[in-house]
Amino acid sequence: RSKKDQPLSLVAGLEKNILHSCIKRFEATLLGPGPIIMPLCDAIKNPELKHNIRRNILEQLTQKYEELFNIIMDPKNGYDSPNTMFKYTPALVHDMISV
C-alpha cells in the first residue's frame, strides 16, 4: 500500500503494463530453456550442499512469484483482469521448477 492508501495499480511504476512486462521476464527466468545461473552456488564443490542451496534458492523464487501473484490478484490493488498478467499459477511454477 502506498502512503496515500491508493490501489497499487495507481502507483507510478506499478501500472498493469509495466508489471505485466516484469512478470513475463520473471516467468522466462524461472521457466526458461536452461537452468537459472547461480555462479556463487555453482562454485560450491560439495554436491549435496550445492543441491540443497539451489533447491532453497528456487523455493524462495517460487515463494516470491506466489507473493506477487497474490498481491496482483487482490481486488483491493485495482488491477483490471489480473489473471491475464500471469501465464502460470504459483502451484504450476512450483511443480515445473521442482522437476
Side-chain angles (χ1 to χ4, degrees), residues 29-30 55 72:
T29 299
L30 289 175
R55 189 182 67 226
I72 291 173

Side-chain angles (χ1 to χ4, degrees), residues 15-29:
E15 297 90 348
K16 184 178 179 178
N17 61 335
I18 293 172
L19 277 181
H20 186 248
S21 175
C22 292
I23 291 165
K24 284 175 67 172
R25 286 191 315 228
F26 191 28
E27 289 175 337
T29 299

Side-chain angles (χ1 to χ4, degrees), residues 44-83:
I44 297 170
K45 301 293 184 211
N46 181 310
E48 185 178 341
L49 182 59
K50 183 190 294 190
H51 172 76
N52 290 340
I53 291 170
R54 283 187 68 83
R55 189 182 67 226
N56 185 275
I57 291 169
L58 292 174
E59 187 64 35
Q60 288 179 41
L61 287 170
T62 58
Q63 287 174 358
K64 295 303 174 193
Y65 183 87
E66 184 172 10
E67 286 177 30
L68 181 61
F69 185 91
N70 291 335
I71 287 168
I72 291 173
M73 292 301 202
D74 185 343
K76 293 181 231 168
N77 288 320
Y79 291 104
D80 181 40
S81 303
N83 56 333

